[in-house]
Amino acid sequence: MMDWLARLMGIQGERVSRVVGADMRLGGGLGWGWVLLLAIGLIALAVWTYRNTERLTKRRRITLTTLRCVLLALLLLILLRPSVAFTVEGSIRRTLLLLVDGSASMQIQDPRHAPADIQRVNIATGVADPAKGLDQGPTGPPQSMARLDVVKNTLRNDKLRLLRRLNRDYDLRFFTFGDATAELPPADPNDPAKTDAAWIDALKADAPATAIGDALRQTLGRVRGQPLAGIVLVTDGAANAGEQPLGAAELAGVENVPLYVYGVGISEPRDIVVANVFGPEVAFFDDVLPLTVRVKARGLADQSATLKVELVRRDNGQVQQTETRDIQLSDGEQAIAMKLTPKRPDASAKQIEYDIRASVAPRDDEAAKDNNLAATRVRVIDGKIKVLYVEQSPRWEFRYLQAMLLRDKRVELKCVLLEADASVAVGENTPYLPTIPAKREDLFAFDLIILGDVDPKAIRPEHASAITEFVSKFGGGLLFLAGRMHNPAEYTATGLEALLPIEGTADLGAGANEAGYRPIQVELTPAGKAETMLQLSDKPAENDTIWAKFPPIFWTAPVARAKPAARVLLADPSPDRASRFGPMPIIAMQQYGLGQVLFCGTDNTWRWRRNENEPRHAALWRQIVQRLALPHLMGESKRTQLTSDRKTYTTGDRVGVYARLYTREFNPVTDPVVRGTYTVNGRSVPIELRPMPDQPGMYRGEFVAGEPGPYTFAVEVDPESKLEFAVTPPRLELGETAMQEKLLRQLADASGGKFLREENLDSLPDLVKAKSETVRSTHNVELWANPFYFTIIVVVAGVEWFLRKRNQLK
């Protein structure tokens, strides 16, 4: 009744929900007491007027008296200027954002076998009633439809009429997102909810990544300050880029913007993913090449598959070797060990590059068939790594390291043990040499020299000079293996000091250098985590765990700092052993001329062999030896050395390229800028490289890998030296094919919204409306100036006049 009266008084508006109160007010300045007194007087006047009229019957007299009283009262009210204040409750028109996932995972054609998943497609396509949910009779045969097509059918569904119903109450704005976010214009500004809207046709699923968190934060930023009813987020939840989506959802909740999350896809798809292949970058002919293949499966527990690993020549595409293994699938990821043995194709082959391809044949019922293959590269070479190990005495570190290197078929080891009996160097098969080779050509025949805890007095000046030249001009590797007697404490002011990656000694107090000082749990630095020779797993988190679980060591060389051009790879995290330069270095590495020099500041690495860690200890030292020796073995110790910061790239990645450049006299190049060029698919692009601080001759450049394919990089000063690497399309979107229902529910809950699927999308407009804020406002209606009020006066006066004429009254 109150709502009807308000509208009768002229309060209109489609956003008025209801009238919650009314209050009568007078604007003429008289109080209610005077109003009552005047009303009594007017009533008395009306009664007196008709009291002595004899022509009227009693009934007509009462009627006319009443009409006269009403008329006089209405006229009196005009003088009093009455008004009615109606309190109405309604909502303002707000903006509702529709944010649709446009990443490549939305192209996945989910094979739908479960009745509920089939019915969801029926609801989306209009075959089933969207208001009746999943329980509405037979579902039909299994179906397969791309996720984006399900979304398009849902938005166009004439039975659901989702956009039209939302557009009645809200201003709709449409966005799509993947690795970036973009707004889509509606088809018709006058009717933005048309089911054949052009913006629906414009939806694509080709973005290489899904950045849900970034998309939420960016859209909130674009409309900040506007009244928002919420965000309708349409996605499968495969968040694999940008900030964590849960933080953005919590921000939306703080800003009172609920997320209505429409989850697309199926929660339990059947899928096999060959995630990656992990193996050494360099191998030897006729040597076992250990590989780790990571395979993920979902929805196929207790079923079997065949994993195939192929060794494919890059130059002609020929498959040289194939190995297969039957595996039992499980819901999750498993690491599968495989082996290949590259054979020498002919006697002239010295070096060949291969692709290692790991694959599982796709099943017919898989959600995605493009993620069953992974590949990596390996360079297979001829020959053995020649190592010269010089030690003062057979300490524990020497014994274990010597035994490990002698077992390695890829290493040809010669040892010089200065305090050993001369008889150990007698015989054809002995690994010992009587002294450090005196001839430079004999010394330069080695690829790596290891200097243990050797008294520098035993190293003649000509030896020190030859070692320096071996490293700086011929690209040989040098490893300083610290000891408690001489190395590195006594190497200052010697011919080898310049090669050390560290400098100075630290005063750690009495007893710091004694055995059993205290346990030290070493810690990888960020540079160490990125260094391939210290990676004992293909997964960064798993590698960190392995290092954290290594047994502690009990001695490190007390050094002050690493040299400015050196990189600290392993450090002692103890605060009392740190200096103003940071934690004390344990392993540090630097480029010296054309060669690499490594300092290992402990003789306790043999302690890492305990229990199951023995294979890891051997793998670690094998990788260190290869890292230092292979450039010399493979003839890469040239005046121009080109490297990249990663082994593989995907489109959109930033590629960092490095050039270490020397003049013909093997002095570092000092140009302020070096120009380079990368070539891909026949197109050449110039880039500039800038010198790196504190690293003479080292330059760095960067560019974005814009397209997949084989890349070749060269510098202008030496175009014959080339760096080759490959860029592949990203596989982030196919790494996880299931709809991430748990995450999507968390996003909705964190923002105060709701998680929805096809069976309850029909309730979305009501959910948004229930969450929309209502506002109260007061509307004043002046009765004395209201047309409806004057209409009543005219009607009352007219009726009285009609009755008076009918009764022949003047």
Side-chain angles (χ1 to χ4, degrees):
M1 178 65 181
M2 190 72 72
D3 295 345
W4 176 84
L5 181 60
R7 284 171 172 75
L8 194 62
M9 292 293 178
I11 302 176
Q12 302 294 332
E14 58 181 7
R15 299 174 187 82
V16 176
S17 299
R18 61 194 182 97
V19 178
V20 295
D23 183 28
M24 177 74 78
R25 300 171 184 175
L26 298 177
L30 294 177
W32 283 106
W34 286 104
V35 172
L36 181 61
L37 183 62
L38 287 173
I40 293 173
L42 291 174
I43 291 172
L45 177 63
V47 172
W48 180 81
T49 301
Y50 286 103
R51 180 181 179 183
N52 297 320
T53 306
E54 297 179 355
R55 297 180 184 179
L56 299 175
T57 62
K58 182 178 180 181
R59 181 179 178 183
R60 291 183 178 179
R61 185 182 297 114
I62 293 174
T63 301
L64 288 170
T65 302
T66 302
L67 289 172
R68 179 61 60 86
C69 290
V70 171
L71 179 61
L72 293 175
L74 292 172
L75 294 174
L76 175 62
L77 285 175
I78 292 176
L79 298 177
L80 298 177
R81 297 175 60 190
S83 63
V84 178
F86 290 96
T87 301
V88 299
E89 188 179 76
S91 60
I92 60 174
R93 190 171 180 88
R94 295 174 177 267
T95 300
L96 181 67
L97 308 182
L98 270 76
L99 193 56
V100 183
D101 192 342
S103 62
S105 64
M106 296 293 284
Q107 294 180 3
I108 295 176
Q109 297 195 11
D110 296 303
R112 298 174 182 254
H113 299 273
D117 291 325
I118 298 173
Q119 195 69 279
R120 291 184 176 108
V121 172
N122 293 337
I123 292 173
T125 55
V127 174
D129 189 344
K132 294 183 179 180
L134 298 177
D135 189 15
Q136 46 182 311
T139 60
Q143 299 192 35
S144 180
M145 180 180 290
R147 294 173 181 177
L148 186 61
D149 290 338
V150 173
V151 174
K152 289 182 177 181
N153 277 279
T154 300
L155 296 176
R156 291 193 177 101
N157 193 327
D158 289 334
K159 293 182 178 178
L160 184 60
R161 297 178 295 108
L162 189 62
L163 296 180
R164 290 186 180 276
R165 292 163 61 198
L166 291 173
N167 188 58
R168 282 202 297 262
D169 298 310
Y170 310 101
D171 295 327
L172 302 183
R173 291 180 63 178
F174 311 110
F175 294 83
T176 184
F177 73 95
D179 54 343
T181 306
E183 185 169 4
L184 297 173
D188 182 356
N190 299 319
D191 189 5
K194 288 178 64 175
T195 55
D196 60 341
W199 74 269
I200 299 179
D201 297 328
L203 291 175
K204 296 180 181 179
D206 55 5
T210 308
I212 296 178
D214 291 351
L216 291 174
R217 190 174 291 274
Q218 289 173 20
T219 50
L220 284 172
R222 289 190 186 189
V223 297
R224 184 162 281 115
Q226 300 180 27
L228 285 182
I231 297 177
V232 179
L233 176 64
V234 183
T235 180
D236 56 12
N240 48 40
E243 74 162 285
Q244 291 296 321
L246 194 56
E250 291 172 349
L251 173 64
V254 170
E255 297 189 8
N256 199 26
V257 181
L259 301 181
Y260 303 97
V261 184
Y262 168 23
V264 188
I266 58 179
S267 301
E268 292 296 331
R270 299 175 183 177
D271 195 28
I272 301 173
V273 181
V274 180
N276 57 34
V277 186
F278 181 67
E281 296 183 22
V282 179
F284 297 86
F285 287 117
D286 302 316
D287 196 7
V288 174
L289 178 61
L291 303 170
T292 300
V293 182
R294 293 194 177 271
V295 178
K296 295 191 293 185
R298 182 184 285 271
L300 296 169
D302 301 326
Q303 299 197 40
S304 61
T306 300
L307 174 63
K308 180 172 68 174
V309 178
E310 298 174 302
L311 190 66
V312 184
R313 288 187 60 159
R314 293 182 58 83
D315 55 356
N316 57 20
Q318 179 184 354
V319 179
Q320 188 186 70
Q321 187 180 0
T322 301
E323 295 290 336
T324 60
R325 179 176 173 183
D326 293 333
I327 59 175
Q328 196 75 14
L329 300 176
S330 60
D331 280 339
E333 183 179 87
Q334 51 185 316
I336 301 165
M338 300 288 287
K339 294 180 180 180
L340 293 172
T341 306
K343 301 295 183 181
R344 188 196 307 272
D346 54 68
S348 62
K350 299 298 182 182
Q351 185 178 136
I352 299 177
E353 286 197 353
Y354 290 93
D355 281 330
I356 300 174
R357 299 176 185 171
S359 62
V360 174
R363 296 166 53 105
D364 293 336
D365 57 353
E366 278 194 69
K369 298 179 175 61
D370 301 332
N371 54 7
N372 292 50
L373 172 68
T376 188
R377 298 172 64 178
V378 64
R379 183 182 298 181
V380 183
I381 62 176
D382 185 23
K384 290 187 175 183
I385 297 174
K386 296 181 179 180
V387 178
L388 175 63
Y389 188 0
V390 184
E391 264 290 4
Q392 190 75 25
S393 61
R395 53 180 176 158
W396 284 107
E397 191 76 353
F398 169 78
R399 295 178 184 181
Y400 284 111
L401 183 54
Q402 181 198 45
M404 188 274 295
L405 293 176
L406 287 173
R407 289 194 303 267
D408 194 334
K409 294 187 297 182
R410 291 163 290 191
V411 175
E412 183 180 310
L413 177 66
K414 292 296 180 180
C415 301
V416 176
L417 199 58
L418 298 177
E419 295 183 0
D421 189 275
S423 62
V424 300
V426 178
E428 290 185 5
N429 297 323
T430 179
Y432 291 95
L433 297 176
T435 60
I436 300 174
K439 294 182 179 180
R440 298 166 72 85
E441 57 268 26
D442 293 339
L443 188 66
F444 291 175
F446 291 98
D447 301 304
L448 171 64
I449 298 174
I450 302 176
L451 284 180
D453 196 17
V454 178
D455 187 345
K457 297 176 182 177
I459 303 176
R460 297 198 299 267
E462 57 269 26
H463 285 148
S465 175
I467 291 173
T468 301
E469 188 176 359
F470 166 73
V471 175
S472 64
K473 294 187 177 181
F474 292 91
L478 178 61
L479 170 60
F480 288 95
L481 191 53
R484 307 171 197 226
M485 301 296 294
H486 309 289
N487 186 359
E490 296 181 2
Y491 277 62
T492 57
T494 68
L496 296 175
E497 180 185 10
L499 280 74
L500 276 166
I502 52 89
E503 60 185 19
T505 58
D507 183 10
L508 303 180
N513 294 327
E514 298 299 324
Y517 165 59
R518 66 174 176 178
I520 302 169
Q521 195 69 48
V522 299
E523 186 176 87
L524 284 173
T525 66
K529 294 178 181 181
E531 177 56 58
T532 55
M533 68 178 174
L534 301 186
Q535 293 175 4
L536 300 173
S537 171
D538 58 325
K539 287 193 167 185
E542 190 174 291
N543 188 62
D544 293 346
T545 301
I546 291 172
W547 278 94
K549 290 184 177 180
F550 268 153
I553 59 177
F554 288 85
W555 179 82
T556 61
V559 300
R561 58 171 290 184
K563 287 182 178 177
R567 294 181 299 135
V568 178
L569 308 179
L570 195 70
D572 180 350
S574 307
D576 57 338
R577 297 169 69 88
S579 68
R580 62 189 180 91
F581 304 105
M584 178 179 291
I586 296 178
I587 293 181
M589 187 175 183
Q590 75 171 358
Q591 185 88 20
Y592 190 86
L594 297 180
Q596 298 279 349
V597 182
L598 185 76
F599 170 76
C600 180
T602 180
D603 62 356
N604 273 203
T605 68
W606 58 271
R607 296 181 182 274
W608 294 341
R609 301 174 64 257
R610 186 184 305 168
N611 302 327
E612 73 279 2
N613 286 321
E614 183 171 358
R616 292 170 178 161
H617 174 263
L620 173 64
W621 273 110
R622 185 165 54 248
Q623 291 172 182
I624 290 174
V625 168
Q626 288 188 13
R627 175 72 168 83
L628 297 174
L630 283 177
H632 185 270
L633 174 64
M634 297 168 63
E636 294 181 347
S637 52
K638 301 174 295 185
R639 291 189 299 109
T640 300
Q641 301 173 28
L642 305 177
T643 56
S644 57
D645 57 353
R646 281 165 49 189
K647 186 178 178 181
T648 59
Y649 299 92
T650 58
T651 52
D653 286 346
R654 302 197 73 85
V655 179
V657 289
Y658 299 84
R660 184 172 290 278
L661 307 175
Y662 292 88
T663 64
R664 294 185 182 276
E665 295 75 26
F666 285 95
N667 295 318
V669 171
T670 59
D671 296 345
V673 176
V674 170
R675 302 189 184 280
T677 303
Y678 70 86
T679 304
V680 55
N681 300 329
R683 183 172 60 90
S684 296
V685 181
I687 65 170
E688 291 185 346
L689 288 80
R690 303 284 178 177
M692 298 182 66
D694 301 321
Q695 298 191 48
M698 183 67 108
Y699 291 79
R700 183 182 187 277
E702 190 177 73
F703 62 91
V704 176
E707 56 185 298
Y711 281 65
T712 302
F713 172 73
V715 289
E716 194 175 79
V717 294
D718 186 4
E720 298 302 319
S721 298
K722 299 183 184 298
L723 169 69
E724 295 182 351
F725 55 92
V727 175
T728 59
R731 302 176 71 243
L732 290 174
E733 289 296 293
L734 300 180
E736 180 57 72
T737 55
M739 183 192 71
Q740 302 301 298
E741 182 171 342
K742 181 179 179 181
L743 171 64
L744 298 182
R745 289 187 180 276
Q746 289 176 338
L747 298 183
D749 293 342
S751 65
K754 186 76 173 179
F755 173 76
L756 304 165
R757 301 196 70 176
E758 287 82 1
E759 61 266 26
N760 45 26
L761 272 179
D762 185 64
S763 64
L764 176 60
D766 295 332
L767 289 172
V768 179
K769 192 172 184 179
K771 281 283 185 178
S772 297
E773 294 183 358
T774 58
V775 294
R776 287 192 175 188
S777 58
T778 301
H779 292 263
N780 287 314
V781 180
E782 294 183 329
L783 294 178
W784 61 274
N786 189 275
F788 177 69
Y789 188 78
F790 279 95
T791 301
I792 295 175
I793 293 177
V794 171
V795 170
V796 172
V799 171
E800 184 187 7
W801 176 83
F802 173 76
L803 292 177
R804 287 178 62 84
K805 288 299 180 181
R806 188 173 182 180
N807 290 279
Q808 298 179 354
L809 295 177
K810 294 182 180 180

